[in-house]
Amino acid sequence: MKTLCYSIHDYDRPFIEESNNGKHDMRFTKSALSIETADQASGFEAVSIFSGDDASREVLIELSRHGVKYIALRSVGYNHVDLDTALALGMKVANVPEYSPYAIAEHAVAMLLTLNRKLLESQRLIDNQDFRLDHLIGFDLHGKTVGIVGTGKIGIAFSRIMKGFGCRIIGYDICESVEAKDIGLEYVTMNKLLSESDIISLHCPLSEATRYLIGEDQFKRIKKGAYLINTARGSVINTHSMIKYIKDGTLGGVCLDVYEYEKGLFFNDWRNMKIEDDLFLELRSFKNVLITGHQAFLTTEALRGIADTTLMNLTSWSQDSYSMNDLSSDL
Ligand code: NAD
């Protein structure tokens, strides 16, 4: 199947080429999919896109006009795709429903430990031959209450790790996981989770129901000094409100792998350009905010998993035009 992969980087192309092994006619572009770049797909049956690409209604109409019939997402999340429009246009869309939930869960833990134990600050001091320990005090994770919002594959993987640290695990979800019982995860209301957790970690998808799931009302209930970790999607948090509650000390620490306005910023080289996003600049100015640029998925195991499933979706479509990972609009 002739496929154009948008938003390809040097880190993921080798995995896709290896999984493809010459089977499909794969072409690559570093450009993100947008209304300006949709015409690059002219003559391609399929496109493959990542989470920062724009698959909104107008872009899909343009892709369809150019003959694209299949969209292979290289992500779990599909909040960036207008599924209703895709299906109305007769396009098939498939995601990668699972690829190493450990990659994302472990990154969330890495961020938590890095911020709590002041590792970046410590490294800077060591670089200056300053071996004093002032200002480097952290806290034990052992015995703390961890609140998981979204107890799916990543939420459960994160819970297991935190259980290993000796934490009490509580969770909130719209449907309960059978695995939660083995971990001793106790389901509670969102309000209880907010008021009792020392650490809150977000692992739900972005949807109309979860947009600003953590906003002004929720921040008001958060336990003073709690840490908030977001490796899900930026818009699950109202960033403006969050900044207010960082400033007043409600939030003791914030770890963000995703950011509400990351589109166009993350995954790109901004070294020689001025970032005009004041919200992002303000977030970066806080010592107790740690940001990574949507890299939680970046392990060899996850990249291999993404590539294998993407190629499997394309192969299924080329054989019988159906893939087990096809998304329907009622999801
Ligand atoms: P999953 O489908 O296994 O789990 C999601 C869980 O969220 C489910 O249990 C679901 O019931 C729950 N949920 C849905 N709506 C909810 C709501 N309104 N309130 C509370 N819980 C709700 O998905 P997963 O594989 O664990 O991935 C979770 C999310 O992580 C993805 O949707 C994606 O946005 C994000 N993600 C981020 C990265 C990254 O690199 N930062 C990588 C992969 C996935």
Side-chain angles (χ1 to χ4, degrees), residues 76-77 79 97-99 101 104 149-155 172-175 203-207 209-210 213 231-233 257-258 294-298:
V76 177
N79 52 283
E98 178 170 355
Y99 60 85
I104 296 93
V149 178
T151 57
K153 291 176 285 293
I154 299 170
Y172 169 77
D173 200 310
I174 49 166
C175 57
H203 299 292
C204 57
L206 175 63
S207 64
T210 61
L213 188 68
T231 56
R233 285 290 181 266
D257 183 53
V258 286
H294 205 140
Q295 73 171 77
F297 69 98
L298 209 62

Side-chain angles (χ1 to χ4, degrees), residues 82-93:
D82 183 336
L83 276 183
D84 289 332
T85 299
L87 301 178
L89 290 165
M91 289 169 143
K92 295 240 189 268
V93 183

Side-chain angles (χ1 to χ4, degrees), residues 10 18 26-27 36 48 53 74 96 107 111 121 177 225 240 247-249 251 271 290 307 311:
D10 294 340
E18 194 187 321
M26 306 289 285
R27 307 291 167 93
E36 288 80 29
S48 174
D53 289 299
R74 302 194 301 280
V96 178
H107 188 78
M111 292 190 86
E121 214 169 321
S177 151
H240 277 283
K247 281 182 177 162
D248 80 359
L251 291 167
R271 276 176 302 179
L290 179 64
L311 266 299

Side-chain angles (χ1 to χ4, degrees), residues 157-313:
F158 180 79
S159 301
R160 286 191 195 283
I161 302 172
M162 300 316 289
K163 187 76 184 168
F165 277 108
C167 297
R168 170 187 172 228
I169 317 291
I170 58 177
Y172 169 77
D173 200 310
I174 49 166
C175 57
E176 300 192 357
S177 151
V178 284
E179 286 178 78
K181 234 188 192 155
D182 319 337
I183 311 167
L185 183 153
E186 178 199 345
Y187 280 101
V188 295
T189 61
M190 179 63 124
N191 287 348
K192 188 167 158 110
L193 184 144
L194 295 169
S195 62
E196 292 192 5
S197 299
D198 300 293
I199 296 144
I200 298 168
S201 197
L202 308 179
H203 299 292
C204 57
L206 175 63
S207 64
E208 278 322 303
T210 61
R211 189 174 298 278
Y212 287 0
L213 188 68
I214 309 295
E216 189 67 27
D217 289 348
Q218 290 68 36
F219 282 117
K220 277 186 194 144
R221 295 175 189 272
I222 281 182
K223 183 171 174 178
K224 177 124 177 106
Y227 270 45
L228 177 63
I229 308 168
N230 190 7
T231 56
R233 285 290 181 266
S235 302
V236 175
I237 297 179
N238 180 333
T239 311
H240 277 283
S241 294
M242 178 170 70
I243 286 178
K244 183 173 149 195
Y245 289 92
I246 293 169
K247 281 182 177 162
D248 80 359
T250 299
L251 291 167
V254 174
C255 303
L256 302 175
D257 183 53
V258 286
Y259 162 61
E260 193 175 348
Y261 303 106
E262 69 177 53
K263 202 164 163 187
L265 182 64
F266 286 4
F267 306 120
N268 294 306
D269 181 359
W270 279 81
R271 276 176 302 179
N272 298 318
M273 291 184 283
K274 192 165 181 269
I275 294 177
E276 306 278 2
D277 179 346
D278 290 341
L279 208 61
F280 182 74
L281 297 176
E282 188 164 17
L283 274 177
R284 280 204 41 208
S285 71
F286 299 118
K287 274 201 164 150
N288 58 346
V289 175
L290 179 64
I291 304 174
T292 52
H294 205 140
Q295 73 171 77
F297 69 98
L298 209 62
T299 67
T300 49
E301 290 81 359
L303 289 169
R304 195 166 294 124
I306 292 170
D308 286 351
T309 307
T310 303
L311 266 299
M312 192 194 80
N313 290 338

